[in-house]
Amino acid sequence: MANSLRGEVIKLYKNLLYLGREYPKGADYFRSRLKAAFLKNKDETDPEKIKQLIARGEFVMKELEALYFLRKYRAMKQRYYSDDKP
């Protein structure tokens, strides 16, 4: 694996690990699943396949961010707006 791709993979892993701290099922659950996903593809040497896997990981990162924003939005909406309709 090229050093540039290695750096990207490590950066992706760290970012996902950071995002996993707020995962609804718990950080330990997320960490174990993340580690298993990365170990499953550890022997991959094809640069194109690695780039595809990195793109998939970035997509998962965006989905997690969307999940967290939606959860925060719902919590704020519930706190400040009542569902009572006159």
Side-chain angles (χ1 to χ4, degrees):
M1 177 176 11
N3 282 337
S4 64
L5 290 178
R6 178 176 164 77
E8 286 184 47
V9 170
I10 291 171
K11 185 173 120 181
L12 176 66
Y13 186 82
K14 286 181 179 181
N15 288 337
L16 284 168
L17 198 59
Y18 178 78
L19 283 174
R21 294 183 311 154
E22 296 180 32
Y23 195 70
K25 289 188 176 183
D28 291 333
Y29 173 82
F30 186 85
R31 187 180 313 115
S32 65
R33 297 285 303 261
L34 178 67
K35 185 176 180 179
F38 272 76
L39 286 177
K40 183 175 81 172
N41 297 306
K42 73 176 183 170
D43 296 326
E44 189 63 51
T45 56
D46 181 29
E48 290 302 315
K49 177 71 173 169
I50 294 171
K51 287 178 184 177
Q52 288 176 352
L53 291 168
I54 290 171
R56 184 173 171 194
E58 289 172 349
F59 175 77
V60 169
M61 221 167 56
K62 289 178 185 175
E63 290 291 317
L64 279 173
E65 289 172 345
L67 172 76
Y68 296 155
F69 286 137
L70 182 62
R71 188 172 66 180
K72 287 178 184 178
Y73 168 76
R74 286 181 176 162
M76 294 299 283
K77 186 176 177 185
Q78 187 178 23
R79 284 184 195 146
Y80 295 108
Y81 297 103
S82 66
D83 291 337
D84 297 336
K85 305 246 181 192

